[in-house]
Amino acid sequence: MYVLGIETSCDETGVAIYHPERGLICHHLYSQVDMHNEYGGVVPELASRDHIRKLIPLIKQTLQESGLEKSDIGGIAYTAGPGLMGALLVGAATARSLAWAWGIPAIAVHHMEGHLLAPMLEDNPPAFPFVALLISGGHTLLVQVEGIGRYQLLGESLDDAAGEAFDKTAKLLGLGYPGGPKLAELAEQGKPTFKFPRPMTDRPGLDFSFSGLKTFTLNTFNNSPKTDQDKADIAAAFQQAVAETLSIKCRRAIKQTGIKRLVVAGGVSANKQIRAALSALAALEKSEIYFPRSEFCTDNGAMIAYAGCQRLLRGEQQNLEIFARPRWPMNELL
């Protein structure tokens, strides 16, 4: 069964086709970064309109390059949330309409489940069970994964997620949009000479909080001479603090669950220092660690096609309702 995957949760339009035996057939991604850069962040209305313009042409292109006809598609998976409501509705309405017109099932996919399962697209996918650290945009989650749809939430961000803290710190330093990659690039030119806290590591538990770290960065910046080197050193200290905080929490999760297998996914998982810190942790704990390739760290249609395919194979599907939830806690996902 060929499954068409559609991702439109924020500022990237992703389309992919996946087959349970042949694997990923074809995928395409259109990024709106250049358009939103002018405004210093994502403008929801512009994002929605751009998805409308780009989604159908991308679907046609993906079908053509895969050598498939619409009659070959056996199901459609789409991101139903969380995300920007207008953007989600574009993907949901398109997927639901095509499924009705083609006489095939459609399945709503949780955006974070897509990220969680992205490493399954690799040649050496992780075996179940594993602990997953999901660090994507407004979400920082630790999840115990026993199988498809069998998830236990271990910890989550109580305020700002790691990705939000990266973006807000980058804006503070005048780095523009998208902030995370720009801050990581600046950090490579600095040294962590400033001493930053590792939030919520001095107490038990697996929850995260990066709001205080953002405030600490602001105070440090305001009290510094604000030279280019100061900015680079602040970026390096901030990035190191986030990487070590994530590492400490992941080590706790490994010890708490006894699972020696760690998956790290989501846009922030592409950060080199975070990857290095978590890889060092895995080596220390004699654990296996898995990352998706860089193109599957950010939002993409391939992860949605894969996640949707697994659920369709289990016999799941939605009715004709156009389902979209801008807020969709992962602990509600069964």
Side-chain angles (χ1 to χ4, degrees):
M1 174 176 64
Y2 292 99
V3 175
L4 176 68
I6 294 173
E7 156 61 28
T8 62
S9 64
C10 189
D11 60 345
E12 288 165 317
T13 310
V15 176
I17 296 175
Y18 180 85
H19 189 278
E21 295 177 0
R22 295 184 58 196
L24 184 62
I25 306 301
C26 183
H27 73 99
H28 284 286
L29 184 70
Y30 174 80
S31 175
Q32 302 175 359
V33 165
D34 290 342
M35 177 178 66
H36 295 296
N37 183 51
E38 179 181 351
Y39 304 95
V42 177
V43 181
E45 177 65 20
L46 294 181
S48 302
R49 292 179 182 223
D50 215 40
H51 286 309
I52 293 172
R53 284 191 290 266
K54 296 296 190 300
L55 183 53
I56 293 298
L58 270 185
I59 292 174
K60 290 181 178 179
Q61 181 183 357
T62 304
L63 281 169
Q64 182 179 21
E65 293 186 10
S66 65
L68 299 172
E69 301 292 336
K70 61 184 181 182
S71 58
D72 295 317
I73 303 300
I76 301 180
Y78 64 94
T79 301
L84 302 175
M85 188 58 175
L88 291 170
L89 281 173
V90 174
T94 301
R96 185 63 270 173
S97 300
L98 288 176
W100 179 80
W102 296 350
I104 58 177
I107 188 75
V109 175
H110 192 291
H111 182 72
M112 297 311 293
E113 182 178 35
H115 279 301
L116 185 152
L117 297 175
M120 296 297 186
L121 294 164
E122 303 302 325
D123 293 333
N124 179 35
F128 298 113
F130 56 79
V131 172
L133 171 66
L134 305 180
I135 36 179
S136 172
H139 305 274
T140 302
L141 305 170
L142 273 169
V143 183
Q144 182 174 331
V145 181
E146 298 293 336
I148 303 294
R150 297 166 57 196
Y151 313 130
Q152 179 184 347
L153 184 64
L154 301 174
E156 61 184 333
S157 50
L158 302 179
D159 41 53
D160 281 358
E164 289 176 312
F166 263 95
D167 289 340
K168 291 177 180 178
T169 299
K171 188 172 184 178
L172 163 70
L173 297 176
L175 302 182
Y177 170 85
K182 292 181 181 294
L183 188 144
E185 183 179 351
L186 179 62
E188 293 182 359
Q189 305 170 30
K191 296 180 179 179
T193 53
F194 296 95
K195 185 174 178 57
F196 276 42
R198 277 54 175 162
M200 291 188 70
T201 58
D202 59 349
R203 67 188 77 175
L206 296 173
D207 288 330
F208 301 91
S209 171
F210 292 102
S211 179
L213 183 60
K214 178 193 63 181
T215 302
F216 189 92
T217 306
L218 172 63
N219 292 334
T220 302
F221 179 71
N222 287 338
N223 294 324
S224 73
K226 300 180 180 60
T227 65
D228 289 343
Q229 189 58 51
D230 283 327
K231 288 184 179 181
D233 291 345
I234 288 173
F238 169 84
Q239 182 173 255
Q240 184 185 67
V242 173
E244 291 187 3
T245 299
L246 294 173
S247 181
I248 291 168
K249 296 290 185 170
C250 285
R251 187 178 189 184
R252 288 183 186 176
I254 290 171
K255 290 185 177 296
Q256 177 178 310
T257 62
I259 298 174
K260 297 285 189 175
R261 198 173 291 117
L262 177 65
V263 162
V264 185
V268 186
S269 70
N271 181 282
K272 293 179 182 178
Q273 184 166 355
I274 289 175
R275 286 197 174 212
L278 294 173
S279 296
L281 163 68
L284 180 66
E285 293 295 321
K286 296 181 173 56
S287 300
E288 301 172 11
I289 189 166
Y290 299 85
F291 299 94
R293 72 192 80 165
S294 295
E295 63 185 311
F296 294 152
C297 288
T298 55
D299 298 347
N300 62 88
M303 67 183 190
I304 302 304
Y306 177 85
C309 181
Q310 303 312 306
R311 293 210 169 246
L312 287 169
L313 289 173
R314 290 167 22 142
E316 298 181 33
Q317 59 178 288
Q318 259 80 44
N319 56 27
L320 292 177
E321 174 190 9
I322 295 176
F323 179 77
R325 288 187 63 180
R327 295 183 181 274
W328 189 1
M330 194 164 182
N331 57 14
E332 296 181 8
L333 187 65
L334 302 178

